[in-house]
Amino acid sequence: MIVQEPIQVIVWDCLNNYEFDNAVFLAERLHAEVTSEETAFLLGTCYYRGGRVNEAHHLLQNISLTLPQARFLLAKCSLELKFYKDAELALGTKDTVASEFGEQAPYALHLLAKVYNITERRSKAADALRKALSLNPFMWKSFTQLCQMGEKVDPNSVFQINNTEFTFGVSTLVNLVSNSENISFVNSNISNNSNLNSNVTPNNIAARTPMTMSTSITPETQAPVKRMHSVFSGMAPIPFSPSFGMLPMEESPVLYSSTLTDANEQKAIPKIVNSLRAHVGQLKDAVFSPGPRCTLGPAPRRSSRLFSNNNSSYSVKENNKSPSRKFVTPKSPSRKNKQRTAKNIKSNTETNERNKSIDTTPTITPKSTNGVPLLNLLRDLGDAFKSLSFLDCKNAIKQFQEISPKQLASPWVQTMIARAHYELAQYEAAAKIFAEIRKQYPSRTEGMDIYSTCLWHLQREAQLSALAQELVELNRNDSIAWLASGNCFSLHKERETALKFFKRAVQIEPEAAYAHALLGHEYAVAEETDKALSSFRTAVSIDPRNYVAWFGIAAVYARQERWKASEVHIRRALAIHPHSGVLRCQLGLAQAALGKMDRALATLERAVSLDAENPLCRFHRASVLLRAGRPQDALGDLHHLKNIAPRESLVYYLLGKVHNKLGNSHLALMHFSWATDLDPKGTGAHIKEGFDPSKQEDTPERSS
Amino acid sequence: MASEKDPLASERSGSVREVGNHAIWSLSSCKPGFGIDQLRDDCMDTYWQSDGQLPHLVNIQFQRKTMVSHIYIYTDYKLDESYTPSRISIRAGTHFNDLQEIEVIELIEPSGWEMIPIKDIHDRPIRTYMIQIAVLSNHQNGRDTHMRQIKIHSPCEPTSFDINKFRNFSTVQFQQYATIR
């Protein structure tokens, strides 16, 4: 009979060193020899990590799957290939997922929520996401997804480890140890433990018996102080980073500075052992079965073992192929441990023996100490992100500013702040922050589409074209690069090219609602209204909270003078983004056009008070006042505008019309001539064409 | 009467739009591989070569009545010699049997873009369903003709200036709030 496990271990080793082709080859050989679900899962994983999603999907689809891990992988492949039905079949329903997938349940729920979202079952998606969050409070992505869907989530209640449903994945605990320590550890472990599974040939797997991480929870989230052996380090050794996730244990500094010679220190170890005890139970099969949960059989429920002080947890009833692992030796972060191997073994031996004797010591449950600082951070960020998602931008900026300075300087937080400025139409501020981010992280493209839009609004041609060029050079397959290029050419008014680039962006990433919205705007400017409307509708069907698309539809209808429809859509946009001055102005204009002057004036009044920096609110208020037959009142606004923007020709044009209405024809003429001076081709041309102020008092709205 | 001008510059100014993509193009004849695509591909190296009797026709049919202000034709005597058109007639109307000649231009060894302004009797851009560009004769009495590129421009904004449609402010300070993207 073929011994599978060593080969599996070898394959995992390749995977952990990112040699995917090698891993695929070996896994294929194994699968050819032994066609079982386990080997298929291994091969599928190799394919998936090597980017060969199609093959992974094909492989997993043709066999009946019982392993939850295999089902999860199949679902993931199906989702990427857009086979939503297969994905849903593989995952099950959101009620069964929790029980069937055990530890993987949060991720499976998240995936299931994605499927529900795409197939427009948004309430079910929201449920699934909430469940995922309750199972694993570190699922930040689920939280952001809920916020983006407009669901009310309370960060305070979500980011807590206080519910018993919380399962801590085995793999998440093991990022902390360097490889060489593995070697030493494993050797010693093997020699010490008698209930070693005879399947394993210890020597072969002496070198790092990796276990893939199904998650990549940062080291800070759990017992950071303990340097656990990387029998579980599916990941490449991560140097321990004592950041905010520090376990508040007194000996921690001691431990860090401890060298291997200190490993024999008595005092630190029991505590560490105890706190590890809780985790140990899950690690039972980790050493020799490389898959995260490659147990053939129902995945054991970890949560109960995690939080119960059950020290017999390692002897779990299920397929327990591996020896119980008691090990926790504080390791210094240094990687040059090979030469200390000998010492290591000795210390480990002693540790293990000591461990065996401390069976009854109560465990420090991780939930009370680990991860709490991270959760606090997530809570703060969650509050701020929630404010931003609900477009309460001023609050969001304030909340982001209150984050600790180290996190504040990170590009993600800065991008969020810049986005908040953008939503408030404070393009200058946003552009400045984005420029900083670009300088420090030139290869980061997240949020750069917003940056390009800010530059578009500010009409900074040189910067925008530089940005577009850099992004395209960086990665031609990134839709953000093409959105920036499209914006650049749109600013240059080369519509065809801009459309081409926007279409390219949409082609690369058809699920990006913003790309569709930008394409729609470009169509609208190019006066292809049908295509514009269809693009906007696509954007809205992907993301109903995309107010840019709603505004776009309203603008198209306004252009066609279908004011009723325009008003409806603008209200929709306003419902999403109530603090926006631009949207409110547009609403006021629509109401004025429908003849509801009072409502229009009230709306514009509100706009002016909400958005102090936006001169257009006053401008439109003045124009509506004029239309409503109150030219005198318009004068106040217009004089204010004249002061803050002395070079805007339309202000003078409107002043001219007001004076005309008031009968001050000489003042009117003066203002008209000023307007013409300031902008001979635009306003001036219109004035020349259609208006003779001396002849009539009517506003010259004839088409010439 | 025609003059050298770059159509792209006008497009960039925002006052005109290229509307050839909104139309259906057809030719009276062409050599395989030298047809409509080469005429509309924005590349001056590729060209349309006709393959029949004079006059050679380029028919441009719009789905709606479109305002046309300029037609740009790119030809190059240095490259095409006897294939370069020398006399071009522009006709407009609603369909093939309803075309009226609105413009005739003479080209003398042209090299580059030729701009043909299209105006009706009131000096306004015309509104039409169909435009036909007819090559009546070539240089050196050539039979077939080469045309490298054709562009059709339509004015962007209708000239009415409604107070509600304030979309083009003259300063960035105002313009940046005019729309949401």
Side-chain angles (χ1 to χ4, degrees), chain B residues 149-174:
Chain B
Q149 200 68 8
I150 298 184
K151 284 195 188 287
I152 315 271
H153 276 179
S154 168
C156 259
E157 293 279 319
T159 41
S160 66
F161 191 59
D162 187 350
I163 200 167
N164 274 334
K165 292 193 187 148
F166 283 129
R167 266 189 300 273
N168 296 317
F169 293 90
S170 57
T171 56
V172 180
Q173 193 179 6
F174 272 64

PDB file of all heavy atoms in Angstrom, chain B residues 149-174:
ATOM      1  N   GLN B 149      -8.112  58.643 -44.721  1.00  0.00           N
ATOM      2  CA  GLN B 149      -8.939  58.771 -43.510  1.00  0.00           C
ATOM      3  C   GLN B 149     -10.029  59.790 -43.772  1.00  0.00           C
ATOM      4  O   GLN B 149      -9.815  60.746 -44.517  1.00  0.00           O
ATOM      5  CB  GLN B 149      -8.062  59.234 -42.331  1.00  0.00           C
ATOM      6  CG  GLN B 149      -8.625  58.960 -40.962  1.00  0.00           C
ATOM      7  CD  GLN B 149      -8.682  57.494 -40.643  1.00  0.00           C
ATOM      8  OE1 GLN B 149      -8.154  56.655 -41.389  1.00  0.00           O
ATOM      9  NE2 GLN B 149      -9.328  57.140 -39.577  1.00  0.00           N
ATOM     10  N   ILE B 150     -11.176  59.563 -43.166  1.00  0.00           N
ATOM     11  CA  ILE B 150     -12.257  60.555 -43.245  1.00  0.00           C
ATOM     12  C   ILE B 150     -12.804  60.759 -41.836  1.00  0.00           C
ATOM     13  O   ILE B 150     -13.008  59.790 -41.098  1.00  0.00           O
ATOM     14  CB  ILE B 150     -13.401  60.065 -44.159  1.00  0.00           C
ATOM     15  CG1 ILE B 150     -12.893  59.858 -45.580  1.00  0.00           C
ATOM     16  CG2 ILE B 150     -14.542  61.076 -44.157  1.00  0.00           C
ATOM     17  CD1 ILE B 150     -13.977  59.464 -46.551  1.00  0.00           C
ATOM     18  N   LYS B 151     -13.047  62.018 -41.482  1.00  0.00           N
ATOM     19  CA  LYS B 151     -13.672  62.291 -40.195  1.00  0.00           C
ATOM     20  C   LYS B 151     -14.842  63.237 -40.406  1.00  0.00           C
ATOM     21  O   LYS B 151     -14.772  64.153 -41.205  1.00  0.00           O
ATOM     22  CB  LYS B 151     -12.672  62.944 -39.232  1.00  0.00           C
ATOM     23  CG  LYS B 151     -11.677  61.955 -38.648  1.00  0.00           C
ATOM     24  CD  LYS B 151     -10.988  62.568 -37.451  1.00  0.00           C
ATOM     25  CE  LYS B 151      -9.849  61.706 -36.956  1.00  0.00           C
ATOM     26  NZ  LYS B 151     -10.273  60.490 -36.277  1.00  0.00           N
ATOM     27  N   ILE B 152     -15.890  62.996 -39.621  1.00  0.00           N
ATOM     28  CA  ILE B 152     -17.078  63.859 -39.709  1.00  0.00           C
ATOM     29  C   ILE B 152     -17.254  64.541 -38.357  1.00  0.00           C
ATOM     30  O   ILE B 152     -17.287  63.872 -37.331  1.00  0.00           O
ATOM     31  CB  ILE B 152     -18.344  63.032 -39.995  1.00  0.00           C
ATOM     32  CG1 ILE B 152     -18.091  62.004 -41.076  1.00  0.00           C
ATOM     33  CG2 ILE B 152     -19.505  63.931 -40.308  1.00  0.00           C
ATOM     34  CD1 ILE B 152     -18.324  62.476 -42.451  1.00  0.00           C
ATOM     35  N   HIS B 153     -17.382  65.847 -38.387  1.00  0.00           N
ATOM     36  CA  HIS B 153     -17.553  66.579 -37.144  1.00  0.00           C
ATOM     37  C   HIS B 153     -18.947  67.134 -37.023  1.00  0.00           C
ATOM     38  O   HIS B 153     -19.516  67.643 -37.987  1.00  0.00           O
ATOM     39  CB  HIS B 153     -16.554  67.742 -37.068  1.00  0.00           C
ATOM     40  CG  HIS B 153     -15.218  67.319 -36.569  1.00  0.00           C
ATOM     41  ND1 HIS B 153     -14.174  68.174 -36.437  1.00  0.00           N
ATOM     42  CD2 HIS B 153     -14.768  66.126 -36.169  1.00  0.00           C
ATOM     43  CE1 HIS B 153     -13.130  67.520 -35.959  1.00  0.00           C
ATOM     44  NE2 HIS B 153     -13.465  66.279 -35.795  1.00  0.00           N
ATOM     45  N   SER B 154     -19.446  67.064 -35.792  1.00  0.00           N
ATOM     46  CA  SER B 154     -20.751  67.638 -35.516  1.00  0.00           C
ATOM     47  C   SER B 154     -20.607  68.570 -34.327  1.00  0.00           C
ATOM     48  O   SER B 154     -19.900  68.248 -33.382  1.00  0.00           O
ATOM     49  CB  SER B 154     -21.717  66.491 -35.197  1.00  0.00           C
ATOM     50  OG  SER B 154     -22.917  66.972 -34.659  1.00  0.00           O
ATOM     51  N   PRO B 155     -21.251  69.697 -34.359  1.00  0.00           N
ATOM     52  CA  PRO B 155     -21.079  70.623 -33.228  1.00  0.00           C
ATOM     53  C   PRO B 155     -21.667  69.998 -31.958  1.00  0.00           C
ATOM     54  O   PRO B 155     -22.648  69.298 -31.995  1.00  0.00           O
ATOM     55  CB  PRO B 155     -21.858  71.870 -33.650  1.00  0.00           C
ATOM     56  CG  PRO B 155     -22.758  71.432 -34.725  1.00  0.00           C
ATOM     57  CD  PRO B 155     -22.162  70.244 -35.365  1.00  0.00           C
ATOM     58  N   CYS B 156     -21.016  70.297 -30.842  1.00  0.00           N
ATOM     59  CA  CYS B 156     -21.371  69.617 -29.597  1.00  0.00           C
ATOM     60  C   CYS B 156     -22.638  70.145 -28.972  1.00  0.00           C
ATOM     61  O   CYS B 156     -23.622  69.447 -28.844  1.00  0.00           O
ATOM     62  CB  CYS B 156     -20.239  69.777 -28.584  1.00  0.00           C
ATOM     63  SG  CYS B 156     -19.237  68.330 -28.495  1.00  0.00           S
ATOM     64  N   GLU B 157     -22.580  71.342 -28.505  1.00  0.00           N
ATOM     65  CA  GLU B 157     -23.736  71.858 -27.783  1.00  0.00           C
ATOM     66  C   GLU B 157     -24.720  72.461 -28.753  1.00  0.00           C
ATOM     67  O   GLU B 157     -24.334  73.238 -29.589  1.00  0.00           O
ATOM     68  CB  GLU B 157     -23.291  72.954 -26.814  1.00  0.00           C
ATOM     69  CG  GLU B 157     -22.430  72.446 -25.681  1.00  0.00           C
ATOM     70  CD  GLU B 157     -23.281  71.842 -24.590  1.00  0.00           C
ATOM     71  OE1 GLU B 157     -24.329  72.437 -24.292  1.00  0.00           O
ATOM     72  OE2 GLU B 157     -22.925  70.793 -24.091  1.00  0.00           O
ATOM     73  N   PRO B 158     -25.954  72.151 -28.594  1.00  0.00           N
ATOM     74  CA  PRO B 158     -26.920  72.946 -29.370  1.00  0.00           C
ATOM     75  C   PRO B 158     -26.845  74.367 -28.860  1.00  0.00           C
ATOM     76  O   PRO B 158     -26.511  74.603 -27.701  1.00  0.00           O
ATOM     77  CB  PRO B 158     -28.272  72.305 -29.021  1.00  0.00           C
ATOM     78  CG  PRO B 158     -28.028  71.524 -27.785  1.00  0.00           C
ATOM     79  CD  PRO B 158     -26.585  71.154 -27.753  1.00  0.00           C
ATOM     80  N   THR B 159     -27.120  75.306 -29.688  1.00  0.00           N
ATOM     81  CA  THR B 159     -26.757  76.671 -29.335  1.00  0.00           C
ATOM     82  C   THR B 159     -27.727  77.331 -28.364  1.00  0.00           C
ATOM     83  O   THR B 159     -27.573  78.487 -28.034  1.00  0.00           O
ATOM     84  CB  THR B 159     -26.660  77.538 -30.600  1.00  0.00           C
ATOM     85  OG1 THR B 159     -27.749  77.176 -31.441  1.00  0.00           O
ATOM     86  CG2 THR B 159     -25.365  77.246 -31.329  1.00  0.00           C
ATOM     87  N   SER B 160     -28.718  76.596 -27.912  1.00  0.00           N
ATOM     88  CA  SER B 160     -29.598  77.235 -26.927  1.00  0.00           C
ATOM     89  C   SER B 160     -28.884  77.282 -25.586  1.00  0.00           C
ATOM     90  O   SER B 160     -28.110  76.409 -25.241  1.00  0.00           O
ATOM     91  CB  SER B 160     -30.894  76.450 -26.797  1.00  0.00           C
ATOM     92  OG  SER B 160     -30.621  75.188 -26.236  1.00  0.00           O
ATOM     93  N   PHE B 161     -29.135  78.287 -24.864  1.00  0.00           N
ATOM     94  CA  PHE B 161     -28.399  78.511 -23.632  1.00  0.00           C
ATOM     95  C   PHE B 161     -29.396  78.621 -22.495  1.00  0.00           C
ATOM     96  O   PHE B 161     -29.766  79.706 -22.088  1.00  0.00           O
ATOM     97  CB  PHE B 161     -27.584  79.799 -23.790  1.00  0.00           C
ATOM     98  CG  PHE B 161     -26.592  80.005 -22.686  1.00  0.00           C
ATOM     99  CD1 PHE B 161     -25.614  79.086 -22.444  1.00  0.00           C
ATOM    100  CD2 PHE B 161     -26.664  81.126 -21.893  1.00  0.00           C
ATOM    101  CE1 PHE B 161     -24.695  79.275 -21.436  1.00  0.00           C
ATOM    102  CE2 PHE B 161     -25.741  81.320 -20.878  1.00  0.00           C
ATOM    103  CZ  PHE B 161     -24.757  80.402 -20.660  1.00  0.00           C
ATOM    104  N   ASP B 162     -29.799  77.480 -22.034  1.00  0.00           N
ATOM    105  CA  ASP B 162     -30.813  77.470 -20.988  1.00  0.00           C
ATOM    106  C   ASP B 162     -30.149  77.667 -19.639  1.00  0.00           C
ATOM    107  O   ASP B 162     -29.140  77.051 -19.331  1.00  0.00           O
ATOM    108  CB  ASP B 162     -31.557  76.134 -21.035  1.00  0.00           C
ATOM    109  CG  ASP B 162     -32.737  76.146 -20.080  1.00  0.00           C
ATOM    110  OD1 ASP B 162     -32.858  77.088 -19.280  1.00  0.00           O
ATOM    111  OD2 ASP B 162     -33.528  75.205 -20.162  1.00  0.00           O
ATOM    112  N   ILE B 163     -30.755  78.457 -18.855  1.00  0.00           N
ATOM    113  CA  ILE B 163     -30.152  78.778 -17.570  1.00  0.00           C
ATOM    114  C   ILE B 163     -30.030  77.533 -16.706  1.00  0.00           C
ATOM    115  O   ILE B 163     -29.182  77.434 -15.838  1.00  0.00           O
ATOM    116  CB  ILE B 163     -30.999  79.856 -16.872  1.00  0.00           C
ATOM    117  CG1 ILE B 163     -30.165  80.555 -15.807  1.00  0.00           C
ATOM    118  CG2 ILE B 163     -32.246  79.249 -16.247  1.00  0.00           C
ATOM    119  CD1 ILE B 163     -30.833  81.813 -15.325  1.00  0.00           C
ATOM    120  N   ASN B 164     -30.889  76.551 -16.972  1.00  0.00           N
ATOM    121  CA  ASN B 164     -30.805  75.337 -16.158  1.00  0.00           C
ATOM    122  C   ASN B 164     -29.637  74.464 -16.535  1.00  0.00           C
ATOM    123  O   ASN B 164     -29.271  73.562 -15.820  1.00  0.00           O
ATOM    124  CB  ASN B 164     -32.084  74.514 -16.328  1.00  0.00           C
ATOM    125  CG  ASN B 164     -33.144  74.983 -15.379  1.00  0.00           C
ATOM    126  OD1 ASN B 164     -32.831  75.521 -14.342  1.00  0.00           O
ATOM    127  ND2 ASN B 164     -34.385  74.799 -15.764  1.00  0.00           N
ATOM    128  N   LYS B 165     -29.116  74.727 -17.701  1.00  0.00           N
ATOM    129  CA  LYS B 165     -28.105  73.802 -18.172  1.00  0.00           C
ATOM    130  C   LYS B 165     -26.718  74.384 -17.992  1.00  0.00           C
ATOM    131  O   LYS B 165     -25.830  74.120 -18.793  1.00  0.00           O
ATOM    132  CB  LYS B 165     -28.341  73.512 -19.652  1.00  0.00           C
ATOM    133  CG  LYS B 165     -29.615  72.735 -19.879  1.00  0.00           C
ATOM    134  CD  LYS B 165     -29.661  72.208 -21.278  1.00  0.00           C
ATOM    135  CE  LYS B 165     -31.004  71.575 -21.544  1.00  0.00           C
ATOM    136  NZ  LYS B 165     -31.390  71.719 -22.924  1.00  0.00           N
ATOM    137  N   PHE B 166     -26.544  75.145 -16.954  1.00  0.00           N
ATOM    138  CA  PHE B 166     -25.206  75.668 -16.734  1.00  0.00           C
ATOM    139  C   PHE B 166     -24.265  74.515 -16.499  1.00  0.00           C
ATOM    140  O   PHE B 166     -24.207  73.940 -15.440  1.00  0.00           O
ATOM    141  CB  PHE B 166     -25.186  76.568 -15.488  1.00  0.00           C
ATOM    142  CG  PHE B 166     -25.772  77.922 -15.745  1.00  0.00           C
ATOM    143  CD1 PHE B 166     -26.742  78.431 -14.925  1.00  0.00           C
ATOM    144  CD2 PHE B 166     -25.349  78.675 -16.815  1.00  0.00           C
ATOM    145  CE1 PHE B 166     -27.281  79.678 -15.149  1.00  0.00           C
ATOM    146  CE2 PHE B 166     -25.881  79.925 -17.051  1.00  0.00           C
ATOM    147  CZ  PHE B 166     -26.849  80.421 -16.216  1.00  0.00           C
ATOM    148  N   ARG B 167     -23.552  74.149 -17.519  1.00  0.00           N
ATOM    149  CA  ARG B 167     -22.641  73.024 -17.344  1.00  0.00           C
ATOM    150  C   ARG B 167     -21.214  73.415 -17.554  1.00  0.00           C
ATOM    151  O   ARG B 167     -20.321  72.713 -17.169  1.00  0.00           O
ATOM    152  CB  ARG B 167     -22.985  71.909 -18.334  1.00  0.00           C
ATOM    153  CG  ARG B 167     -23.921  70.864 -17.750  1.00  0.00           C
ATOM    154  CD  ARG B 167     -24.019  69.712 -18.702  1.00  0.00           C
ATOM    155  NE  ARG B 167     -24.535  70.134 -19.979  1.00  0.00           N
ATOM    156  CZ  ARG B 167     -25.831  70.206 -20.269  1.00  0.00           C
ATOM    157  NH1 ARG B 167     -26.720  69.876 -19.389  1.00  0.00           N
ATOM    158  NH2 ARG B 167     -26.212  70.621 -21.450  1.00  0.00           N
ATOM    159  N   ASN B 168     -21.028  74.520 -18.200  1.00  0.00           N
ATOM    160  CA  ASN B 168     -19.650  74.875 -18.526  1.00  0.00           C
ATOM    161  C   ASN B 168     -19.268  76.177 -17.861  1.00  0.00           C
ATOM    162  O   ASN B 168     -19.474  77.254 -18.405  1.00  0.00           O
ATOM    163  CB  ASN B 168     -19.488  75.010 -20.038  1.00  0.00           C
ATOM    164  CG  ASN B 168     -19.746  73.680 -20.699  1.00  0.00           C
ATOM    165  OD1 ASN B 168     -19.298  72.657 -20.223  1.00  0.00           O
ATOM    166  ND2 ASN B 168     -20.496  73.720 -21.779  1.00  0.00           N
ATOM    167  N   PHE B 169     -18.716  76.024 -16.673  1.00  0.00           N
ATOM    168  CA  PHE B 169     -18.240  77.209 -15.993  1.00  0.00           C
ATOM    169  C   PHE B 169     -16.830  77.506 -16.467  1.00  0.00           C
ATOM    170  O   PHE B 169     -16.126  76.652 -16.969  1.00  0.00           O
ATOM    171  CB  PHE B 169     -18.240  76.969 -14.485  1.00  0.00           C
ATOM    172  CG  PHE B 169     -19.620  76.816 -13.928  1.00  0.00           C
ATOM    173  CD1 PHE B 169     -20.224  75.585 -13.835  1.00  0.00           C
ATOM    174  CD2 PHE B 169     -20.326  77.928 -13.508  1.00  0.00           C
ATOM    175  CE1 PHE B 169     -21.498  75.449 -13.330  1.00  0.00           C
ATOM    176  CE2 PHE B 169     -21.600  77.797 -12.994  1.00  0.00           C
ATOM    177  CZ  PHE B 169     -22.191  76.561 -12.905  1.00  0.00           C
ATOM    178  N   SER B 170     -16.441  78.741 -16.262  1.00  0.00           N
ATOM    179  CA  SER B 170     -15.140  79.088 -16.800  1.00  0.00           C
ATOM    180  C   SER B 170     -14.015  78.857 -15.803  1.00  0.00           C
ATOM    181  O   SER B 170     -12.870  78.777 -16.179  1.00  0.00           O
ATOM    182  CB  SER B 170     -15.126  80.556 -17.245  1.00  0.00           C
ATOM    183  OG  SER B 170     -15.485  81.374 -16.147  1.00  0.00           O
ATOM    184  N   THR B 171     -14.358  78.733 -14.512  1.00  0.00           N
ATOM    185  CA  THR B 171     -13.278  78.499 -13.558  1.00  0.00           C
ATOM    186  C   THR B 171     -13.392  77.087 -12.986  1.00  0.00           C
ATOM    187  O   THR B 171     -14.477  76.527 -12.868  1.00  0.00           O
ATOM    188  CB  THR B 171     -13.335  79.479 -12.378  1.00  0.00           C
ATOM    189  OG1 THR B 171     -14.639  79.358 -11.786  1.00  0.00           O
ATOM    190  CG2 THR B 171     -13.087  80.890 -12.809  1.00  0.00           C
ATOM    191  N   VAL B 172     -12.237  76.542 -12.623  1.00  0.00           N
ATOM    192  CA  VAL B 172     -12.216  75.208 -12.028  1.00  0.00           C
ATOM    193  C   VAL B 172     -12.987  75.213 -10.710  1.00  0.00           C
ATOM    194  O   VAL B 172     -13.660  74.249 -10.357  1.00  0.00           O
ATOM    195  CB  VAL B 172     -10.770  74.749 -11.769  1.00  0.00           C
ATOM    196  CG1 VAL B 172     -10.764  73.368 -11.140  1.00  0.00           C
ATOM    197  CG2 VAL B 172      -9.994  74.744 -13.043  1.00  0.00           C
ATOM    198  N   GLN B 173     -12.888  76.345 -10.024  1.00  0.00           N
ATOM    199  CA  GLN B 173     -13.520  76.436  -8.716  1.00  0.00           C
ATOM    200  C   GLN B 173     -15.009  76.095  -8.783  1.00  0.00           C
ATOM    201  O   GLN B 173     -15.570  75.491  -7.900  1.00  0.00           O
ATOM    202  CB  GLN B 173     -13.334  77.858  -8.210  1.00  0.00           C
ATOM    203  CG  GLN B 173     -13.662  78.045  -6.751  1.00  0.00           C
ATOM    204  CD  GLN B 173     -13.433  79.485  -6.350  1.00  0.00           C
ATOM    205  OE1 GLN B 173     -13.150  80.339  -7.176  1.00  0.00           O
ATOM    206  NE2 GLN B 173     -13.543  79.767  -5.085  1.00  0.00           N
ATOM    207  N   PHE B 174     -15.640  76.558  -9.880  1.00  0.00           N
ATOM    208  CA  PHE B 174     -17.055  76.252 -10.046  1.00  0.00           C
ATOM    209  C   PHE B 174     -17.257  74.913 -10.737  1.00  0.00           C
ATOM    210  O   PHE B 174     -18.127  74.142 -10.378  1.00  0.00           O
ATOM    211  CB  PHE B 174     -17.714  77.351 -10.896  1.00  0.00           C
ATOM    212  CG  PHE B 174     -18.218  78.500 -10.097  1.00  0.00           C
ATOM    213  CD1 PHE B 174     -17.348  79.298  -9.377  1.00  0.00           C
ATOM    214  CD2 PHE B 174     -19.565  78.792 -10.053  1.00  0.00           C
ATOM    215  CE1 PHE B 174     -17.806  80.357  -8.630  1.00  0.00           C
ATOM    216  CE2 PHE B 174     -20.037  79.859  -9.314  1.00  0.00           C
ATOM    217  CZ  PHE B 174     -19.163  80.641  -8.605  1.00  0.00           C
TER     218      PHE B 174
END
